[in-house]
């Protein structure tokens, strides 16, 4: 299916109206940005760029799509759409870059017609993926180097789950439970087992956890992760080591007071001689719970619901605004929604130590004197409709890691606060 | 692409282990249910059933999927998957039915192998769609008969947006901005225009709102909706009527104090003779803001972010649990996560007036005496792998409407509270 109908109807009716009087061909620049971060957040992480550029290449109107559009648009609009492909230029922040209020995450330049059509799809992708990556990055810093596994597919839309796994991986997660994210984006696919598997081994005499563990080890080897809390954690750990021996890869605890249980299980494993067996915890973890377990002998966190729902901020609330027409800056005057006219670029100032101090957003091509030498954030993504930015998830992942180390220490606090650095908007 | 990889890896590794020792062929029943409603919510709305049954029909492992599975599963598992299609039975609540804690929304019966494979996908669909429908139903009751338009596509994943539009329509919304939801599910697609369109009409002498409105009316007719708050609302309304005449369909206000502005605009429209021109409001509306505007002359609400994010509850937190193996009820004993063994059905008790009083969940086939004559909630969805429930969005929509009228009045309050009716679990 084409992605072109993953779009609001009004993009097409605006196109239709603008085609009638020729204004559709005016040169336009649109910018995608967040007026503010989600409440209390100190930074955001740009994600979705790669997915957006993939979608852009598929943004064509096939016969089925044209049939839908024909229900409400005139033949001239259909003629325009039949041959449509975006032929303009796109600049933006590299995927994995941090962002702050008013950061021009994406700048789309072309005719009004070709730019307006991309509004809904670009926002859907960036708002979703950036919300997930921004939450994930907080979990990564809270985990302080311990492993994080994304396992939230079941708590979100089945396709959003694939994008969420990708965004979490970019933000620093180590892997995902989602197979399609493994296939499509090469995110390491990881897995343990469910309570249902243990409960399957129930006979006339009742549950038989040892049989379940033996079966799992027979199939998956001693490096597997056994889920030990189906019935009784202490008995579960004993059964696990009995089934797998002291080379068992890991045990998972999915319920109860995870901190207390992790300590108990660590002692039990060590006493049994399974000193190398790791402990995975899961169950309603968010960045605060992850941080609270720092003092406990936890090796890996499995994170589900809070990750895929953006930990309280399920959308990044980015907007896509017309900022320039035929070279003239434009702004609207709606109450509380003032936008800043003119195409923009950005740079980020830092101390010699690398700690960032300010985001500078300036009229395109005219950096202020104090931003020369600063790191430029705006990079070319598309030229003449052709993608010029590589699709490189590893690079995006490295950029997030670098970004987190560049934040002033207050920026990594999990508590509510202001953006880690101020944004300075240089007037046109 | 097949939907079969929209699945957690561990479903496949559990399958692999269970195939080795034959336990995969044991008869199993799994149930999908919510242990509790989102905090403070008084009812939930089941949505996703139709999408799940669509996905079930496509749940096959093609060569690309098998290639992915081959990276970590043995040949016997691949042989099993090559010919896989679900051949069991599924019962459940009809789409659009209300649900409460422990309501058995879906009951899946078959071999362990075929049931366990459906866990992730079924949960993704029901958790997402039911979260949206449950939030949407609160907005519908808050709107008290006024029109509601779903326009949140840009705030959520691009495919989740289509499912969200469908779920909102089932819950009683009148239409959506999303074209694909219109094409795929026949949800009425509606639209107005964006600030960008008005701003496009900017020349050397500055903004020209009258020209923008004339262009829109020329293309879309006087029945269109003109967005009047790009620059100044009072001037915008005057320009709108000048461009379209007093037969203008509607004006939209997207910013400012919507209640105050709606009153001002209504008076201005009436003074201009446009007494039939409707007022659409939008901009960060949720069920509380919708209810707060009840006294104002608003005709339609456009709802975005809060709808597609479940208005604070972006997932329904349903789980999928093994409840029966070879006819024997099974339960786990993990702390705080006790499940109730055995396959179940449900009925809902009501007063003669139709007001519901209790949800009764009982062992399948054995309703308690006082539930005979009550409305049975559990209906057949799949028999021998074949869908037996019709795909009927209109029926689902009617069921939500009926459900809302059946709630005790406390159940419709927007404030935090307990479930509207208690759930009685009848022991096996």
């Amino acid at each position: 299916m084409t992605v072109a109908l993953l779009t609001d109807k009004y993009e097409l009716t605006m196109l239709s109206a603008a085609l009638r009087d020729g204004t559709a061909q005016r040169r336009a620049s649109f910018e995608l940005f967040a007026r503010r971060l989600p409440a209390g957040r100190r930074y955001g992480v740009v994600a979705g760029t790669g997915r957006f550029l993939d979608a852009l290449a598929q943004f064509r109107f096939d016969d089925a799509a044209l049939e839908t559009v024909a229900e409400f648009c005139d033949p001239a609009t259909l003629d325009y759409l039949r041959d449509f492909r975006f032929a303009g230029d796109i600049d933006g922040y590299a995927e994995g870059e941090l962002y702050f209020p008013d950061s021009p995450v994406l700048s789309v330049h072309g005719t009004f017609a070709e730019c307006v059509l991309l509004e809904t799809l670009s926002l859907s992708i960036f708002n979703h993926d950036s919300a997930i990556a921004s939450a994930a990055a907080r979990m990564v810093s809270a985990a302080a180097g311990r492993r994080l596994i994304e396992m939230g597919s079941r708590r979100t839309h089945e396709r959003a789950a694939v994008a969420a796994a990708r965004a979490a991986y970019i933000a620093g997660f180590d892997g995902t439970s989602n197979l399609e994210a493994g296939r499509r984006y090469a995110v390491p696919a990881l897995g343990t087992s469910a309570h249902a598997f243990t409960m399957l081994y129930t006979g006339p005499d009742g549950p038989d956890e040892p049989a379940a563990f033996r079966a799992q080890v027979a199939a998956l080897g001693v490096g597997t992760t056994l889920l030990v809390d189906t019935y009784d954690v202490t008995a579960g750990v004993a059964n696990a080591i009995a089934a797998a021996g002291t080379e068992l890869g890991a045990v998972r605890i999915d319920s109860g007071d995870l901190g207390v249980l992790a300590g108990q299980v660590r002692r039990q494993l060590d006493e049994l001689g399974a000193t190398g067996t790791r402990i995975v915890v899961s169950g309603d973890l968010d960045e605060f719970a992850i941080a609270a377990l720092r003092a406990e002998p936890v090796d890996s966190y499995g994170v589900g619901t809070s990750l895929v729902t953006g930990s309280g901020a399920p959308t990044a609330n980015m907007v896509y605004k017309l900022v320039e027409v035929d070279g003239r800056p434009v702004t609207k005057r709606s109450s509380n929604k003032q936008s800043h006219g003119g195409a923009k670029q950005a740079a980020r100032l830092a101390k010699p130590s690398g700690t960032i101090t300010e985001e500078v957003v300036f009229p395109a091509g005219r950096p202020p004197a104090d931003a020369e030498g600063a790191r430029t954030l705006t990079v070319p993504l598309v030229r003449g409709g052709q993608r010029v930015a590589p699709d490189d998830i590893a690079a995006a992942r490295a950029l997030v890691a670098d970004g987190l180390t560049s934040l002033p220490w207050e920026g990594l606090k999990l508590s509510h606060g202001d953006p880690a650095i101020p944004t300075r908007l240089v007037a046109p």
Side-chain angles (χ1 to χ4, degrees), chain A:
Chain A
M1 194 205 80
T2 172
V3 299
L5 292 186
L6 300 172
T7 293
D8 286 332
K9 184 177 181 179
Y10 81 175
E11 317 292 6
L12 280 298
T13 54
M14 288 191 283
L15 170 68
S16 180
L19 283 171
R20 276 175 87 96
D21 64 8
T23 50
Q25 300 306 328
R26 291 191 179 175
R27 304 300 304 174
S29 293
F30 280 81
E31 278 178 2
L32 187 149
F33 62 98
R35 292 193 181 93
R36 66 197 73 82
L37 300 176
R41 291 284 179 85
R42 296 160 189 261
Y43 63 91
V45 174
V46 174
T49 320
R51 291 211 310 120
F52 170 69
L53 296 175
D54 288 347
L56 185 67
Q58 300 163 31
F59 198 97
R60 305 291 185 93
F61 288 81
D62 60 16
D63 289 344
L66 289 173
E67 203 173 302
T68 295
V69 177
E71 293 169 15
F72 61 91
C73 279
D74 60 0
T77 307
L78 297 178
D79 285 345
Y80 176 84
L81 294 176
R82 192 167 288 116
D83 301 320
F84 178 79
R85 68 176 202 66
F86 180 78
D89 297 338
I90 303 180
D91 295 324
Y93 282 32
E95 185 153 27
E97 191 66 78
L98 302 185
Y99 73 89
F100 298 94
D102 293 314
S103 293
V105 167
L106 205 69
S107 302
V108 182
H109 312 285
T111 63
F112 176 80
E114 65 190 343
C115 295
V116 77
L117 285 178
L118 302 182
E119 177 177 27
T120 310
L121 185 60
S122 62
L123 285 171
S124 291
I125 292 174
F126 280 94
N127 272 326
H128 176 267
D129 293 13
S130 298
I132 306 304
S134 298
R138 284 162 59 89
M139 297 171 190
V140 168
S141 70
R146 291 174 178 177
R147 282 168 65 81
L148 285 162
I149 306 163
E150 187 282 307
M151 41 174 76
S153 293
R154 61 190 57 198
R155 302 285 186 232
T156 188
H157 182 275
E158 68 275 16
R159 303 269 170 191
V162 182
R166 177 184 180 278
Y169 184 64
I170 285 173
F173 271 56
D174 296 277
T176 178
S177 62
N178 189 285
L179 282 173
E180 177 62 11
R183 188 192 71 79
R184 175 76 184 77
Y185 299 114
V187 179
L190 305 168
T192 61
S193 70
H195 296 110
F197 182 77
T198 304
M199 292 156 66
L200 171 64
Y201 292 79
T202 301
D205 303 330
D208 190 353
E209 189 176 59
F213 288 173
R214 285 193 300 270
Q216 185 176 333
V217 170
L220 304 176
V222 297
T224 193
T225 300
L226 293 171
L227 177 62
V228 295
D229 72 341
T230 304
Y231 306 114
D232 175 83
V233 173
T234 304
V237 170
N239 289 334
I241 300 302
T246 54
E247 299 301 304
L248 175 62
V251 296
R252 177 161 78 105
I253 314 168
D254 185 50
S255 55
D257 183 325
L258 297 174
V260 171
L261 288 174
Q264 285 178 8
V265 167
R266 181 73 271 156
R267 283 190 295 277
Q268 187 181 359
L269 286 170
D270 290 347
E271 283 164 19
L272 291 167
T275 52
T277 298
R278 287 167 285 108
I279 296 176
V280 183
V281 298
S282 57
D284 292 333
L285 294 175
D286 60 13
E287 61 268 47
F288 305 101
I290 290 167
L293 288 167
R294 264 190 209 163
E296 309 303 334
V298 168
D299 299 286
S300 302
Y301 302 94
V303 188
T305 304
S306 68
L307 186 280
V308 297
T309 59
S311 198
T315 181
N317 265 321
M318 291 176 181
V319 295
Y320 183 90
K321 293 297 170 191
L322 179 65
V323 294
E324 201 169 295
V325 176
D326 283 342
R328 276 185 288 273
V330 295
T331 56
K332 63 174 175 171
R333 298 272 177 249
S334 298
S335 166
N336 288 323
K337 287 195 180 175
Q338 289 202 8
S339 53
H340 303 270
K344 292 175 275 293
Q345 295 175 329
R348 193 168 290 158
L349 305 189
K351 297 181 193 173
S353 65
T355 300
I356 58 176
T357 57
E358 192 177 40
E359 188 96 339
V360 184
V361 179
F362 53 85
R366 294 190 280 130
D370 67 346
E372 294 189 20
R375 195 163 72 87
T376 301
L377 301 168
T378 306
V379 299
L381 301 174
V382 172
R383 284 293 174 266
Q386 297 302 313
R387 180 179 189 150
V388 296
D391 188 13
D392 189 343
I393 289 183
R397 195 169 145 85
L399 200 52
V400 176
D402 286 350
L404 293 179
T405 62
S406 77
L407 284 167
W409 69 270
E410 303 92 344
L412 289 171
K413 286 169 78 172
L414 296 178
S415 56
H416 276 220
D418 291 326
I421 57 171
T423 303
R424 172 161 46 113
L425 286 165
V426 179

